[in-house]
Amino acid sequence: MQPSVAEGCALVTKSVAIVGGGIAGLAAAYEFTKQQQAGADLTFTLFEASNRLGGIVDTVRQDGYVLEGGPDGWVSEKPWARELAIELGLEQDLIYSNDAERVTYILRNGKLLPLPDGMRMMVPTDLHALEGSPLFSDEARHWYRTEPLRAAELKANAPDADESVASFVLRHFGREVLETVGAPLLNGVFGGDVHQLSVQAVMQPFVQMEREFGSLIVALQTRARTGRVAQPIFTSLRGGVAQLTYALAATLPSNALLLNRRVLTLARAGQQWHLHTAHTGDAPPPATGDSQPLRFDAVLLALPVWETRRLLQDLDPALAALLETPGSSALTVAYALPAGQPVPWPKGFGFLALPGGSVRMLAATFADQKFPHRAPAGGHSVRVYYGGSEAEAMRHQDVKTLAYAELERIVGALPKPLHSSVRYWPMALPQYHVGHLQRVAELDRRVAELGGLQLLGNGFRGVGLPDLIRDARVTARAVASASMAP
Ligand SMILES: Cc1cc2nc3c(=O)[nH]c(=O)nc-3n(C[C@H](O)[C@H](O)[C@H](O)COP(=O)(O)OP(=O)(O)OC[C@H]3O[C@@H](n4cnc5c(N)ncnc54)[C@H](O)[C@@H]3O)c2cc1C
């Protein structure tokens, strides 16, 4: 392999540090490995503070049950996670949501009320399906019926500037739809407040639809008539999402992966980056010793956004200030329920609770009804999700018992679980508040000025797995292309 010609005409191999071994860091490392094979003259080292790879992707498999502590799949519409799974040889393990039985419920006043068929978020494709729905009053139905009639006005008034999800939804469908569907949906996915979340960052396709069609209902109906073959809404893997992170890790050279190594500081030194690290586990210290800075030509931070901010604080306080994105904590409790004992919940994928209602949980997923292969024949699995301050409060309590009791109050008596799994993710879901895209553009500009630094992870260009994978791979390719042999 020919070394690339670096600054000053010296022949050097580019060295890259990846900090963080979640899906973003792993996808970047995988791409570097591919680029090395294609001739890029670089080496990389991945630093992971914990004793495992995958970050929030965390599957527990036991006795034929697949319990997810983090993501349970991804939206099929975005191709990048599926493409990666296929590249990794997992095509035969891809599974799809059971859309024939797809129903999502809204928990209101203690009752599970189904969202009508054909809803995409809060937008219906079939107005007839709204008739008779116990979820909506006549007034809400009136908003829905008349939204297509206001298409020209909505298109003419579509703002260029960013706005909150709440003001966008209010303009189209009124307050009841915002409170009954919009707020629980956005809370369930982002742990976020519709009055603060940026519509351009979290509902970009709908913003486009408004600009093109005015009416979101007309837009969806037109696309359904002219669009591609419908695909299942969610994709996952037979053995759980961690199959993807395990398969990624298996492609990486083991000497490039440093587990139990937290990066403490990051500093610019001439054309290089200096990292100080510390051991966080039981393993013996490495030969290099933690007191010596480790030197790299480029650094990819693939961290929770608050940790990225900490590392950049001394280096560029103005840049760090742009990273003051609040994060919502999450706590999940997944239960395996024995075979041969019926469960009282209805068919469907699960339910979302109205924020500020009488229950503490934000949502529950009937996991074995959403995806196949989540429980052995006749068994069931369910996952309860708490967000924000409730997640933080629950983590100090007997959460397995409390969450199960709360679930039983909603759905009825349940069999004793065989086992369960609790995961707490502090400040794991960054809140993309109004102005997020402009902030990220400014961040990118400032980061580019520093040279040799890249910011990955869920603080910037999407929180879902497909976006994170795409972003990490594109970035790693760009870093590697600068070190391609001529
Ligand atoms: C409960 C829950 C459910 C979700 N469900 C879905 C879903 O169904 N579908 C979907 O697409 N997305 C889902 N998401 C979002 C998605 O899972 C996350 O956005 C994504 O996994 C984040 O990946 P990441 O690599 O950016 O960060 P992380 O997974 O947080 O990884 C960051 C890594 O950095 C390490 N680290 C931290 N500090 C340091 C340091 N100083 N030095 C070295 N290492 C460090 C951490 O230990 C961690 O391993 C969900 C998120 C949550 C919390």
Side-chain angles (χ1 to χ4, degrees):
M1 188 191 295
Q2 289 289 313
S4 60
V5 181
E7 215 169 307
C9 290
L11 297 178
V12 290
T13 298
K14 185 176 200 165
S15 59
V16 186
I18 302 171
V19 188
I23 188 72
L26 286 172
Y30 168 74
E31 190 59 43
F32 280 141
T33 309
K34 281 190 65 171
Q35 297 299 319
Q36 284 172 329
Q37 287 157 3
D41 188 19
L42 63 84
T43 60
F44 70 88
T45 307
L46 186 153
F47 297 88
E48 166 53 48
S50 75
N51 62 0
R52 54 174 280 279
L53 294 168
I56 297 170
V57 175
D58 191 357
T59 309
V60 173
R61 294 174 68 174
Q62 198 175 341
D63 305 330
Y65 293 86
V66 175
L67 304 184
E68 297 286 14
D72 64 354
W74 59 84
V75 286
S76 307
E77 212 169 41
K78 299 188 174 186
W80 307 290
R82 176 188 162 79
E83 284 169 6
L84 177 61
I86 292 172
E87 271 181 54
L88 292 166
L90 298 176
E91 186 164 12
Q92 72 289 352
D93 288 323
L94 286 168
I95 58 169
Y96 302 98
S97 51
N98 182 16
D99 289 359
E101 300 273 298
R102 176 175 166 238
V103 187
T104 301
Y105 298 86
I106 302 291
L107 176 67
R108 191 173 67 192
N109 300 331
K111 290 207 173 67
L112 294 180
L113 305 174
L115 274 170
D117 277 351
M119 299 280 289
R120 273 251 348 248
M121 297 191 80
M122 61 292 288
V123 187
T125 47
D126 177 7
L127 287 172
H128 297 296
L130 304 179
E131 299 308 325
S133 162
L135 197 56
F136 299 118
S137 69
D138 286 344
E139 191 188 331
R141 271 190 280 272
H142 178 75
W143 271 95
Y144 275 133
R145 269 197 303 271
T146 53
E147 196 252 8
L149 309 178
R150 293 189 292 120
E153 170 211 325
L154 288 164
K155 185 171 175 174
N157 294 332
D160 289 331
D162 196 9
E163 62 181 325
S164 70
V165 168
S167 71
F168 181 84
V169 176
L170 281 172
R171 185 163 65 247
H172 286 266
F173 305 120
R175 182 158 303 281
E176 183 182 324
V177 171
L178 174 69
E179 288 171 359
T180 308
V181 188
L185 263 174
L186 274 294
N187 220 1
V189 177
F190 296 96
D193 174 0
V194 281
H195 296 279
Q196 300 202 58
L197 287 173
S198 150
V199 74
Q200 290 189 353
V202 305
M203 287 177 62
Q204 178 62 32
F206 292 92
V207 173
Q208 281 307 117
M209 288 180 211
E210 183 184 61
R211 287 184 182 156
E212 201 179 332
F213 295 91
S215 158
L216 307 178
I217 295 177
V218 171
L220 280 187
Q221 289 175 337
T222 308
R223 289 187 182 183
R225 275 196 301 275
T226 57
R228 293 156 290 166
V229 181
Q231 53 182 337
I233 302 233
F234 301 109
T235 303
S236 190
L237 287 156
R238 183 184 292 261
V241 179
Q243 235 188 307
L244 188 65
T245 46
Y246 293 150
L248 273 173
T251 66
L252 306 176
S254 55
N255 60 1
L257 304 177
L258 297 184
L259 295 182
N260 294 312
R261 282 289 283 274
R262 179 179 298 281
V263 172
L264 298 179
T265 63
L266 177 67
R268 197 74 170 124
Q271 291 301 306
Q272 287 202 310
W273 289 93
H274 284 186
L275 269 62
H276 273 100
T277 69
H279 272 268
T280 51
D282 301 332
T288 51
D290 283 339
S291 57
Q292 294 300 316
L294 304 171
R295 294 152 206 269
F296 294 91
D297 299 313
V299 174
L300 275 59
L301 298 181
L303 295 167
V305 68
W306 43 269
E307 184 66 348
T308 298
R309 185 173 68 231
R310 187 188 69 73
L311 286 177
L312 296 179
Q313 185 62 54
D314 292 340
L315 195 70
D316 183 343
L319 176 58
L322 287 167
L323 291 162
E324 273 168 19
T325 314
S328 178
S329 299
L331 185 144
T332 59
V333 197
Y335 300 92
L337 274 55
Q341 299 196 39
V343 288
W345 53 71
K347 76 167 190 176
F349 289 3
F351 64 83
L352 299 157
L354 288 191
S358 56
V359 295
R360 299 177 72 182
M361 68 177 68
L362 284 184
T365 307
F366 308 144
D368 63 286
Q369 297 181 171
K370 181 173 178 184
F371 286 111
H373 309 294
R374 289 302 188 237
H380 297 282
S381 84
V382 62
R383 185 176 85 170
V384 178
Y385 169 44
Y386 294 88
S389 54
E390 285 297 357
E392 284 155 21
M394 287 293 274
R395 75 184 266 248
H396 300 295
Q397 301 172 19
D398 176 7
V399 49
K400 289 183 184 178
T401 310
L402 282 175
Y404 212 59
E406 186 166 54
L407 187 63
E408 286 191 305
R409 279 199 298 281
I410 297 164
V411 298
L414 293 166
K416 191 170 169 339
L418 290 174
H419 43 85
S420 55
S421 163
V422 179
R423 290 290 181 275
Y424 174 62
W425 306 113
M427 294 181 287
L429 288 167
Q431 301 296 294
Y432 292 180
H433 284 174
V434 175
H436 178 79
L437 299 184
Q438 290 77 2
R439 262 191 306 280
V440 170
E442 172 65 7
L443 261 174
D444 285 344
R445 197 186 58 71
R446 295 195 77 104
V447 166
E449 277 172 8
L450 289 173
L453 178 69
Q454 309 286 338
L455 306 187
L456 301 177
N458 69 9
F460 311 105
R461 295 164 202 88
V463 299
L465 302 175
D467 286 326
L468 291 167
I469 290 166
R470 184 212 47 196
D471 191 32
R473 295 189 70 178
V474 167
T475 303
R477 237 173 270 145
V479 170
S481 72
S483 52
M484 271 292 179

